[in-house]
Amino acid sequence: MLFDVQVAEEGGWSVLTLTGELDLAAAPAVRSRVVALTSGGSSRLVIDLRGVDFLDSAGLGVLVGARKRVRQIDEAAGEVRLVATEPQVLRVLALAGLDRVMDVFDDRAAALDLAAGEVERA
Amino acid sequence: MPEVRLEIPARVEYLALARQVVAAAAALEPRFRDERIDDLRIAVSEATTNAIEAHADLGSHDRIVIRANLGDDRIEVEVHDVAGGFDPARVDAAPDAEAPDRLTYERGLGLPLIRTLTDESEIAPTERGTAVRLVVYSTRRDHPG
């Protein structure tokens, strides 16, 4: 049950693909990748959470932090998009109200603007 | 009422174990629906995360004790840390999801989640630390907040 973060550049977005349980144990690995990306000038991030089967407040904190950092380097165009399909993850995003301020997609291609189909926001 | 007792080092590597043990204990009672077990899993993760962070802040090497008591229609979990006192009134909890400055908070998201996901929750000082008590019923009770 090792947590994994993969980073790729795709269609003008920096895409972080996370696998495993995003809790306090996993948060530092994601945070350090986000800091490295934003320090390198990336202000458009897609965080793919489809492989995440558990999310709690430590994980939410990382997502909120990512949004804050991209806005710091590019207030106008800085953006974090999430891709999520796991019910537990979607539920925690909704309970925390993150789905109201960040775009959540059920499809990675849609998040990358490669196809239409944004998930309707709550 | 059978009790399951788990004692873990105050390290993040043990968070997943704490969640698994408590969720497995709740799953022994067939009346618990998956959604309620998920609620419990998150609440236990939050309480144990707070305990681990409290121990880290204090440099404490004591262990965290988690007790789960399974009843017919409810499970009660206690997470005990030994990291000195904790005053919930002084916690810098994040504001409501509707508040405009809500998303500047990277921490403090845990206690609101605990309150939302459990039917009862209580944070109380103990002789050497703090006990967080979480109660989840097999069917969600209507409760304020």
Side-chain angles (χ1 to χ4, degrees):
Chain A
M1 282 211 315
L2 284 179
F3 187 79
D4 184 59
V5 190
Q6 298 288 331
V7 179
E9 294 297 322
E10 209 175 329
W13 295 85
S14 297
V15 184
L16 293 94
T17 304
L18 315 187
T19 313
E21 301 189 317
L22 183 46
D23 61 5
L24 187 67
V30 183
R31 187 172 284 119
S32 68
R33 302 303 281 272
V34 168
V35 168
L37 286 167
T38 49
S39 302
S42 298
S43 62
R44 284 156 54 86
L45 307 183
V46 169
I47 303 180
D48 188 343
L49 300 166
R50 286 175 304 165
V52 171
D53 47 18
F54 179 83
L55 174 68
D56 66 11
S57 71
L60 288 172
V62 171
L63 303 178
V64 169
R67 182 178 186 270
K68 200 156 86 177
R69 284 181 187 92
V70 299
R71 294 271 167 119
Q72 275 167 0
I73 61 165
D74 189 339
E75 179 146 11
E79 189 177 357
V80 176
R81 292 179 171 185
L82 306 177
V83 187
T85 51
E86 278 289 323
Q88 194 273 347
V89 171
L90 290 168
R91 182 144 181 266
V92 172
L93 291 174
L95 285 173
L98 249 66
D99 61 339
R100 289 196 288 273
V101 290
M102 290 166 106
D103 288 333
V104 182
F105 298 80
D106 62 0
D107 181 274
R108 182 176 172 127
L112 293 164
D113 294 325
L114 301 174
E118 184 186 340
V119 176
E120 195 178 327
R121 276 190 264 170
Chain B
M1 202 157 149
E3 178 176 279
V4 175
R5 187 179 184 279
L6 174 69
E7 196 177 306
I8 58 167
R11 303 216 322 254
V12 292
E13 295 89 334
Y14 289 88
L15 264 175
L17 180 67
R19 291 193 295 264
Q20 278 164 23
V21 168
V22 175
L28 291 172
E29 172 51 61
R31 264 186 269 183
F32 274 94
R33 291 173 45 210
D34 287 349
E35 186 191 301
R36 296 268 59 202
I37 292 177
D38 271 346
D39 290 348
L40 180 69
R41 203 192 308 267
I42 298 165
V44 167
S45 197
E46 300 300 345
T48 310
T49 293
N50 288 345
I52 290 172
E53 290 190 319
H55 280 234
D57 287 347
L58 225 71
S60 163
H61 296 291
D62 285 314
R63 287 168 168 250
I64 292 165
V65 174
I66 298 162
R67 291 205 298 252
N69 280 287
L70 185 62
D72 287 342
D73 65 341
R74 60 179 236 154
I75 185 164
E76 180 171 334
V77 179
E78 285 182 11
V79 178
H80 287 259
D81 70 44
V82 279
F86 169 77
D87 180 359
R90 288 177 52 208
V91 169
D92 186 22
D96 290 344
E98 310 291 342
D101 63 342
R102 169 66 175 68
L103 286 173
T104 62
Y105 283 73
E106 292 176 51
R107 298 182 55 160
L109 301 161
L111 289 179
L113 270 185
I114 286 178
R115 293 196 188 101
T116 305
L117 293 168
T118 59
D119 294 294
E120 295 169 30
S121 65
E122 189 185 359
I123 300 170
T126 59
E127 200 176 319
R128 295 184 58 211
T130 303
V132 178
R133 189 175 141 270
L134 312 164
V135 180
V136 170
Y137 286 87
S138 56
T139 309
R140 179 170 267 283
R141 297 285 198 266
D142 284 330
H143 64 102

